Amino acid sequence: MLTQEFVFSFREAAPYINAFRGKTFVIALSGEAVAGGNLAGLAQDINLLVSLGVRVVVVHGGRPQIAALLARNGLMPRFHDGRRITDAPTLEAVKQAQGMVRYEIEAALSMGMPNSPMHNAHLRVSSGNVLTARPLGVIDGVDYFYSGQVRRIDTEAINQRLDTGELVLISPIGYSPTGEVFNLMMEEVATQTASALRAEKLIFLIESRGVTGAEGQFVSTLNAHQAEDLLARNTQPVDVCAYLACAVRAVREGVPRAHLVSHREDGALLVELFTSGGNGTMVSRDPLVKVRNAGIEDIGNIIALIRPLEEQGVLVKRSREHLEMEVDCYSVLEHDGKVYGCVAMHTFPGSDMAELACLVVSRDKRDAGFGETLLHHVEQKARLRGMHALFVLTTQTAHWFVERGFSPADPSQLPPPRQRLYNTQRRSKVFIKPL
């Protein structure tokens, strides 16, 4: 049983491994994550990503470390509108704390622990002055002194280091052309770095698991519009709101996916990236589920979906040649780029009735509402073609169609060309839905 679970897990991860090879991930590692006790596990997982061919950039923070150093020196932290006011004494504490955090991360990433993914690994960590910054200045009458914002990111230098297999570690400290040093916000640096590098993913390692809905339920996927609605309602914890706002900005600026993942749960990062269910909250610019016209390259996926039902007698058997000839009649449903369902629509000359056929959803997604999505797609497609009704022939799923507005009918009500193809031995039941 354990062997079967391993094989299933490995097969589930394999498509993601292939898809991520050569892609750039920006991982935001907060100071809380560094101090949270799971840094060694996070370092192993990040190292594993690099070993799988992912180009990894880590942007780290250091808020709790800065706070501790200020307290030790008898200095009071000052904030305005959620941003630290960095005067000269505070800047010294910032530089010292961020330096300590960077060295701690480098040490964790350099460990070659026996019996771990890092055994015999030789990960090279690169860092340097890749951030040019400018001062925030005076806002609302408040002088931020050495608090700054990103002016330019040296993407050429970062990509050169990534091309050689190095992990790039960026501290949220920027430098001006005149030699001044500025304290930057880790979230902003990570977001702008991901956008500038055209990264595949921006990943925030946060305290909680991710976003929760209105009734406290966990939300695993959001598009940018849905995330903006949540932010407008202001129902999330302050830290989640900050990270979610950055995630929305990133996907709006071209990063395909942004993730909020707990740094406290060991292995959560890998589960989020290499399983279909994930572990945190993923934000995309557009809805993750889409239905599109099938192409010849989808035949393999369609066959994989329908074969089990053909073997059970639920569907009529279709050869590959038959599917290839009729592929223009098919549509497939994708969730985050992976095909989980298919459906076909057939029309008949001289008839205003269309046939819905071969509606199949992957077993592990049958509770996700994908069947209704495919049905609505065919209904809309039929209306656009001028059809007045939709019919379906089925032997074992009659109740599903009745619950969705189909009514029993007689085979004699079918279009004449379809009547001639009716299989009297199979004795499929006929259901019709007016459009």
Side-chain angles (χ1 to χ4, degrees):
M1 184 64 181
L2 290 176
T3 300
Q4 291 177 339
E5 290 177 359
F6 168 77
V7 170
F8 176 80
S9 298
F10 199 84
R11 286 173 175 169
E12 184 180 16
Y16 299 101
I17 295 172
N18 290 328
F20 296 159
R21 188 177 295 115
K23 300 295 175 59
T24 301
F25 290 5
V26 175
I27 300 176
L29 189 63
S30 66
E32 290 81 2
V34 174
N38 190 34
L39 181 58
L42 289 171
Q44 288 186 40
D45 294 344
I46 292 171
N47 200 318
L48 180 58
L49 291 177
V50 176
S51 72
L52 292 174
V54 179
R55 296 153 53 92
V56 176
V57 177
V58 173
V59 179
H60 74 81
R63 286 193 185 93
Q65 293 82 356
I66 294 170
L69 200 54
L70 289 173
R72 190 184 311 164
N73 294 336
L75 299 172
M76 286 293 295
R78 291 190 296 156
F79 292 87
H80 177 72
D81 198 23
R83 188 183 288 267
R84 187 185 300 279
I85 298 172
T86 311
D87 56 16
T90 301
L91 181 61
E92 292 305 311
V94 167
K95 290 190 289 186
Q96 186 177 345
Q98 297 290 20
M100 290 188 297
V101 171
R102 186 179 76 247
Y103 295 140
E104 192 172 347
I105 295 172
E106 287 181 350
L109 291 170
S110 300
M111 290 189 298
M113 298 173 63
N115 301 318
S116 81
M118 298 178 70
H119 184 49
N120 286 332
H122 301 286
L123 176 65
R124 297 189 302 276
V125 180
S126 174
S127 58
N129 57 336
V130 295
L131 302 177
T132 301
R134 60 172 176 259
L136 281 173
V138 179
I139 302 176
D140 298 329
V142 176
D143 191 344
Y144 281 90
F145 298 102
Y146 295 100
S147 292
Q149 55 188 338
V150 176
R151 182 176 181 178
R152 189 177 70 86
I153 298 171
D154 191 346
T155 56
E156 182 179 357
I158 295 173
N159 279 317
Q160 285 176 351
R161 294 163 186 175
L162 293 174
D163 289 342
T164 62
E166 297 180 3
L167 179 148
V168 176
L169 179 61
I170 299 177
S171 299
I173 291 179
Y175 307 90
S176 74
T178 58
E180 291 180 295
V181 178
F182 293 102
N183 178 31
L184 310 175
M185 289 186 69
M186 179 269 291
E187 300 93 325
E188 292 182 358
V189 173
T191 302
Q192 293 183 55
T193 300
S195 298
L197 291 173
R198 302 184 182 276
E200 181 73 14
K201 292 183 180 293
L202 169 62
I203 304 164
F204 290 107
L205 296 172
I206 67 174
E207 293 286 295
S208 61
R209 185 181 176 189
V211 174
T212 53
E215 299 180 359
Q217 75 277 19
F218 174 69
V219 179
S220 61
T221 58
L222 289 167
N223 61 48
H225 180 71
Q226 292 170 328
E228 287 166 342
D229 285 346
L230 272 177
L231 289 169
R233 291 201 292 268
N234 199 27
T235 58
Q236 305 298 313
V238 175
D239 63 328
V240 173
C241 282
Y243 291 124
L244 187 59
C246 289
V248 171
R249 177 181 172 184
V251 299
R252 291 290 192 200
E253 293 180 356
V255 178
R257 301 285 184 268
H259 302 254
L260 277 60
V261 185
S262 172
H263 66 76
R264 294 186 175 276
E265 186 175 347
D266 188 38
L269 176 62
L270 298 182
V271 175
E272 174 69 6
L273 294 176
F274 294 104
T275 67
S276 60
N279 186 271
T281 296
M282 178 168 65
V283 181
S284 64
R285 186 183 63 181
D286 302 312
L288 292 175
V289 177
K290 68 176 182 179
V291 181
R292 59 171 175 80
N293 294 333
I296 197 70
E297 69 279 1
D298 295 305
I299 295 297
N301 287 322
I302 294 173
I303 290 174
L305 285 167
I306 68 177
R307 279 293 180 260
L309 297 180
E310 290 178 347
E311 293 169 358
Q312 296 170 27
V314 177
L315 293 177
V316 175
K317 289 188 175 181
R318 296 165 172 83
S319 67
R320 174 180 282 272
E321 291 77 12
H322 176 83
L323 290 170
E324 290 177 353
M325 290 175 61
E326 295 196 340
V327 69
D328 291 342
C329 300
Y330 282 78
S331 301
V332 293
L333 180 145
E334 288 185 340
H335 179 267
D336 197 21
K338 186 175 180 181
V339 174
Y340 284 102
C342 67
V343 69
M345 188 187 83
H346 302 292
T347 57
F348 305 90
S351 173
D352 63 357
M353 297 176 65
E355 180 180 9
L356 182 151
C358 201
L359 194 160
V360 182
V361 174
S362 176
R363 180 179 295 276
D364 59 336
K365 294 291 185 181
R366 289 181 184 170
D367 294 329
F370 290 173
E372 285 85 352
T373 301
L374 287 166
L375 173 59
H376 293 157
H377 170 77
V378 172
E379 290 176 348
Q380 181 64 17
K381 189 175 179 180
R383 291 189 185 99
L384 292 174
R385 298 277 289 272
M387 300 293 113
H388 292 163
L390 202 61
F391 70 87
V392 62
L393 279 70
T394 181
T395 58
Q396 299 183 34
T397 57
H399 66 284
W400 191 90
F401 290 101
V402 170
E403 290 170 358
R404 287 153 182 84
F406 285 78
S407 301
D410 189 85
S412 62
Q413 296 176 255
L414 298 176
R418 190 64 181 87
Q419 291 183 38
R420 291 191 289 271
L421 296 174
Y422 182 80
N423 188 334
T424 55
Q425 292 183 334
R426 185 172 171 81
R427 298 180 61 190
S428 298
K429 295 182 178 181
V430 179
F431 295 87
I432 297 176
K433 181 178 182 178
L435 299 176

